[in-house]
Coordinates of all heavy atoms in Angstrom, one line a residue:
L1 N -44.1 108.1 50.4 CA -44.9 108.0 51.6 C -44.9 106.5 52.0 O -44.9 106.2 53.2 CB -46.3 108.5 51.4 CG -47.2 108.4 52.6 CD1 -46.7 109.2 53.8 CD2 -48.6 109.0 52.2
H2 N -45.1 105.6 51.1 CA -45.2 104.2 51.4 C -43.9 103.7 52.0 O -43.9 102.9 53.0 CB -45.5 103.4 50.1 CG -45.5 101.9 50.4 ND1 -44.4 101.1 50.1 CD2 -46.5 101.1 50.8 CE1 -44.7 99.8 50.4 NE2 -45.9 99.8 50.9
T3 N -42.8 104.1 51.4 CA -41.5 103.7 52.0 C -41.3 104.2 53.4 O -40.8 103.4 54.3 CB -40.3 104.3 51.1 OG1 -40.5 103.9 49.8 CG2 -39.0 103.9 51.6
K4 N -41.7 105.4 53.7 CA -41.6 105.9 55.1 C -42.5 105.2 56.0 O -42.1 104.8 57.1 CB -42.0 107.4 55.0 CG -41.9 108.1 56.4 CD -42.2 109.6 56.3 CE -42.1 110.3 57.6 NZ -42.4 111.7 57.5
R5 N -43.8 104.9 55.6 CA -44.7 104.2 56.5 C -44.2 102.8 56.7 O -44.3 102.2 57.8 CB -46.1 104.1 55.8 CG -46.9 105.4 55.9 CD -48.2 105.3 55.1 NE -48.9 104.1 55.5 CZ -49.8 104.1 56.6 NH1 -49.9 105.2 57.3 NH2 -50.4 103.0 56.9
K6 N -43.7 102.1 55.7 CA -43.2 100.7 55.8 C -42.0 100.7 56.8 O -42.0 99.8 57.7 CB -42.7 100.2 54.5 CG -42.4 98.7 54.5 CD -43.6 97.9 54.8 CE -43.2 96.4 54.8 NZ -44.3 95.5 55.2
S7 N -41.1 101.6 56.7 CA -40.0 101.7 57.6 C -40.4 101.9 59.1 O -39.9 101.2 60.0 CB -39.0 102.8 57.2 OG -38.0 103.0 58.2
K8 N -41.5 102.7 59.2 CA -42.0 103.0 60.6 C -42.6 101.7 61.2 O -42.5 101.4 62.3 CB -43.0 104.1 60.5 CG -43.6 104.5 61.9 CD -44.6 105.7 61.7 CE -45.2 106.0 63.1 NZ -46.2 107.1 63.0
E9 N -43.4 101.0 60.3 CA -44.1 99.8 60.8 C -43.1 98.7 61.2 O -43.3 98.0 62.1 CB -45.1 99.3 59.7 CG -46.3 100.2 59.6 CD -47.2 99.7 58.5 OE1 -46.9 98.6 57.9 OE2 -48.2 100.3 58.2
E10 N -42.0 98.6 60.4 CA -41.0 97.6 60.7 C -40.4 97.9 62.0 O -40.1 97.0 62.8 CB -40.0 97.5 59.6 CG -40.5 96.9 58.3 CD -39.5 97.0 57.2 OE1 -38.5 97.7 57.4 OE2 -39.8 96.4 56.1
Q11 N -40.1 99.2 62.3 CA -39.5 99.5 63.6 C -40.5 99.2 64.8 O -40.1 98.8 65.8 CB -39.2 101.0 63.6 CG -38.0 101.4 62.7 CD -37.7 102.9 62.7 OE1 -38.4 103.6 63.4 NE2 -36.8 103.3 61.9
Q12 N -41.8 99.5 64.6 CA -42.8 99.3 65.6 C -43.0 97.8 65.9 O -43.2 97.4 67.0 CB -44.1 99.9 65.2 CG -44.2 101.4 65.2 CD -45.5 101.9 64.6 OE1 -46.2 101.2 64.0 NE2 -45.7 103.2 64.8
Q13 N -42.8 97.0 64.9 CA -43.1 95.5 65.1 C -41.9 94.7 65.4 O -41.9 93.5 65.6 CB -43.7 95.0 63.8 CG -45.1 95.6 63.5 CD -45.7 95.1 62.2 OE1 -45.2 94.2 61.6 NE2 -46.8 95.7 61.8
Q14 N -40.7 95.4 65.6 CA -39.5 94.7 65.9 C -39.5 94.2 67.3 O -39.8 95.0 68.3 CB -38.3 95.6 65.7 CG -37.0 95.0 66.0 CD -35.8 95.9 65.9 OE1 -36.0 97.1 65.8 NE2 -34.6 95.4 65.9
V15 N -39.3 93.0 67.6 CA -39.2 92.4 68.9 C -37.8 92.0 69.2 O -37.2 91.3 68.4 CB -40.1 91.1 69.0 CG1 -40.0 90.5 70.4 CG2 -41.6 91.5 68.8
L16 N -37.2 92.6 70.3 CA -35.8 92.3 70.6 C -35.7 90.9 71.2 O -36.5 90.6 72.1 CB -35.4 93.4 71.6 CG -35.6 94.8 71.2 CD1 -35.2 95.8 72.3 CD2 -34.8 95.2 69.9
S17 N -34.8 90.2 70.7 CA -34.7 88.7 71.1 C -33.4 88.4 71.8 O -33.3 87.3 72.4 CB -34.8 87.8 69.9 OG -33.8 88.2 68.9
T18 N -32.4 89.3 71.9 CA -31.2 89.0 72.6 C -30.9 90.1 73.6 O -31.3 91.3 73.4 CB -30.0 88.7 71.7 OG1 -29.7 90.0 71.0 CG2 -30.4 87.7 70.6
K19 N -30.0 89.8 74.6 CA -29.6 90.9 75.5 C -28.9 92.0 74.8 O -29.1 93.2 75.1 CB -28.7 90.2 76.6 CG -28.4 91.2 77.7 CD -27.1 90.7 78.4 CE -25.9 90.9 77.6 NZ -24.6 90.7 78.3
D20 N -28.0 91.6 73.9 CA -27.2 92.7 73.2 C -28.1 93.6 72.4 O -27.9 94.8 72.3 CB -26.1 92.0 72.3 CG -25.0 91.3 73.1 OD1 -24.9 91.7 74.2 OD2 -24.4 90.4 72.5
Q21 N -29.1 93.0 71.7 CA -30.1 93.8 71.0 C -30.8 94.8 71.9 O -31.0 95.9 71.6 CB -31.1 92.9 70.3 CG -30.5 92.2 69.0 CD -31.6 91.4 68.4 OE1 -32.6 91.1 68.9 NE2 -31.3 91.0 67.1
L22 N -31.2 94.2 73.1 CA -31.9 95.1 74.1 C -31.0 96.2 74.5 O -31.5 97.4 74.6 CB -32.3 94.2 75.3 CG -33.0 94.9 76.4 CD1 -34.3 95.4 76.0 CD2 -33.1 94.0 77.6
I23 N -29.8 96.0 74.9 CA -28.9 97.0 75.3 C -28.6 98.1 74.3 O -28.7 99.3 74.5 CB -27.5 96.4 75.8 CG1 -27.8 95.5 77.0 CG2 -26.5 97.5 76.1 CD1 -26.6 94.7 77.5
T24 N -28.3 97.6 73.0 CA -28.1 98.5 71.9 C -29.3 99.4 71.6 O -29.2 100.6 71.5 CB -27.7 97.8 70.7 OG1 -26.5 97.0 70.9 CG2 -27.4 98.7 69.5
S25 N -30.5 98.8 71.6 CA -31.7 99.5 71.3 C -32.0 100.5 72.4 O -32.4 101.7 72.1 CB -32.9 98.5 71.2 OG -34.1 99.2 71.0
C26 N -31.9 100.2 73.7 CA -32.2 101.1 74.7 C -31.2 102.3 74.7 O -31.6 103.4 74.9 CB -32.1 100.4 76.1 SG -33.5 99.3 76.4
N27 N -29.9 102.0 74.5 CA -29.0 103.1 74.4 C -29.3 104.1 73.3 O -29.3 105.3 73.4 CB -27.5 102.6 74.2 CG -27.0 101.8 75.5 OD1 -27.5 102.1 76.6 ND2 -26.1 101.0 75.3
N28 N -29.6 103.5 72.1 CA -29.9 104.4 71.0 C -31.2 105.2 71.2 O -31.3 106.3 70.9 CB -30.1 103.5 69.7 CG -28.8 102.9 69.2 OD1 -27.8 103.3 69.6 ND2 -28.9 101.8 68.5
D29 N -32.2 104.5 71.8 CA -33.5 105.2 72.1 C -33.3 106.4 73.1 O -33.8 107.5 72.9 CB -34.5 104.3 72.7 CG -35.1 103.4 71.6 OD1 -34.9 103.7 70.4 OD2 -35.8 102.4 72.0
V30 N -32.5 106.2 74.1 CA -32.2 107.2 75.1 C -31.5 108.4 74.5 O -31.9 109.6 74.6 CB -31.4 106.7 76.3 CG1 -31.0 107.9 77.2 CG2 -32.3 105.8 77.1
H31 N -30.5 108.1 73.7 CA -29.8 109.2 73.0 C -30.7 110.0 72.1 O -30.7 111.2 72.0 CB -28.6 108.7 72.3 CG -27.5 108.1 73.1 ND1 -26.7 107.1 72.7 CD2 -27.2 108.3 74.4 CE1 -25.9 106.7 73.7 NE2 -26.2 107.4 74.8
M32 N -31.5 109.2 71.3 CA -32.4 109.8 70.4 C -33.4 110.7 71.1 O -33.7 111.8 70.6 CB -33.1 108.8 69.6 CG -34.0 109.3 68.5 SD -35.7 109.3 69.0 CE -36.1 107.6 69.1
V33 N -34.0 110.2 72.2 CA -35.0 111.0 72.9 C -34.4 112.3 73.4 O -35.0 113.4 73.3 CB -35.6 110.2 74.1 CG1 -36.4 111.1 75.0 CG2 -36.5 109.1 73.5
L34 N -33.2 112.2 74.0 CA -32.6 113.4 74.6 C -32.3 114.5 73.5 O -32.5 115.7 73.6 CB -31.3 113.1 75.3 CG -31.5 112.2 76.6 CD1 -30.2 111.9 77.3 CD2 -32.5 112.8 77.6
D35 N -31.7 114.0 72.4 CA -31.4 114.9 71.2 C -32.7 115.5 70.7 O -32.7 116.7 70.4 CB -30.7 114.1 70.1 CG -29.3 113.7 70.5 OD1 -28.8 114.3 71.5 OD2 -28.7 112.8 69.9
R36 N -33.7 114.7 70.5 CA -35.0 115.2 69.9 C -35.7 116.1 70.9 O -36.4 117.1 70.4 CB -35.9 114.0 69.6 CG -35.4 113.1 68.4 CD -35.5 113.8 67.1 NE -34.3 114.6 66.8 CZ -34.2 115.4 65.8 NH1 -35.2 115.6 65.0 NH2 -33.0 116.1 65.5
T37 N -35.5 115.9 72.2 CA -36.2 116.8 73.1 C -35.6 118.2 73.0 O -36.4 119.2 72.9 CB -35.9 116.3 74.6 OG1 -36.6 115.0 74.7 CG2 -36.5 117.3 75.6
L38 N -34.3 118.3 72.9 CA -33.7 119.7 72.8 C -34.0 120.3 71.4 O -34.3 121.5 71.3 CB -32.1 119.6 72.9 CG -31.6 119.2 74.3 CD1 -30.1 119.1 74.2 CD2 -32.0 120.2 75.3
W39 N -34.1 119.5 70.4 CA -34.4 120.0 69.0 C -35.8 120.5 69.0 O -36.1 121.6 68.5 CB -34.2 118.9 68.0 CG -34.4 119.3 66.6 CD1 -33.4 119.8 65.8 CD2 -35.6 119.3 65.8 NE1 -34.0 120.1 64.5 CE2 -35.3 119.8 64.5 CE3 -36.9 119.0 66.1 CZ2 -36.3 120.0 63.6 CZ3 -37.9 119.1 65.1 CH2 -37.6 119.6 63.9
I40 N -36.8 119.8 69.6 CA -38.2 120.2 69.6 C -38.4 121.5 70.4 O -39.1 122.4 70.0 CB -39.1 119.0 70.1 CG1 -39.1 117.9 69.1 CG2 -40.5 119.5 70.4 CD1 -39.7 116.6 69.7
L41 N -37.7 121.5 71.6 CA -37.9 122.7 72.4 C -37.3 123.9 71.7 O -37.8 125.0 71.8 CB -37.2 122.5 73.8 CG -37.9 121.4 74.7 CD1 -37.0 121.2 75.9 CD2 -39.3 121.9 75.1
K42 N -36.2 123.8 71.0 CA -35.6 124.9 70.3 C -36.5 125.4 69.2 O -36.7 126.6 69.0 CB -34.2 124.5 69.7 CG -33.5 125.7 69.1 CD -32.1 125.2 68.6 CE -31.3 126.4 68.1 NZ -32.0 127.2 67.1
K43 N -37.1 124.4 68.5 CA -38.0 124.8 67.4 C -39.2 125.5 68.0 O -39.8 126.5 67.4 CB -38.5 123.6 66.6 CG -37.4 123.0 65.7 CD -37.1 124.0 64.6 CE -36.1 123.4 63.6 NZ -35.8 124.4 62.5
V44 N -39.7 125.1 69.2 CA -40.9 125.7 69.8 C -40.5 127.2 70.2 O -41.3 128.1 69.9 CB -41.3 124.9 71.0 CG1 -42.2 125.7 71.9 CG2 -42.0 123.6 70.6
I45 N -39.4 127.4 70.8 CA -39.0 128.7 71.2 C -38.7 129.6 70.0 O -39.2 130.8 70.0 CB -37.7 128.6 72.1 CG1 -38.0 127.9 73.4 CG2 -37.2 130.1 72.4 CD1 -36.8 127.7 74.2
D46 N -38.1 129.1 68.9 CA -37.9 129.8 67.7 C -39.2 130.2 67.1 O -39.4 131.3 66.6 CB -37.1 129.0 66.7 CG -35.6 128.9 67.1 OD1 -35.2 129.6 68.0 OD2 -35.0 128.0 66.6

C-alpha cells in the first residue's frame, strides 16, 4: 500500500518543466482517459 501511495503522490506532485514533457504528458493522459472511459463503462454495464 505504501508503494502504491508513494507512486501516486509522485505523479500528483510532478511539475512539467519543458515543452516536450508537456506534449508527452498530455498525449499519454488523453489516451489513458479514453481507454479508461470505455473500460469503466463496460464494467458498469457488465
Side-chain angles (χ1 to χ4, degrees):
L1 180 60
H2 176 264
T3 302
K4 184 177 179 180
R5 283 175 55 84
K6 187 65 179 175
S7 175
K8 181 180 176 182
E9 287 178 3
E10 288 175 352
Q11 291 176 2
Q12 290 174 346
Q13 295 177 9
Q14 179 184 12
V15 176
L16 307 173
S17 57
T18 67
K19 185 202 72 171
D20 291 338
Q21 286 181 345
L22 177 66
I23 293 171
T24 302
S25 175
C26 287
N27 290 338
N28 292 339
D29 283 347
V30 170
H31 295 155
M32 184 263 293
V33 168
L34 297 181
D35 290 342
R36 292 291 86 190
T37 296
L38 292 179
W39 186 89
I40 290 169
L41 293 175
K42 186 176 186 307
K43 286 293 181 182
V44 165
I45 294 173
D46 290 344

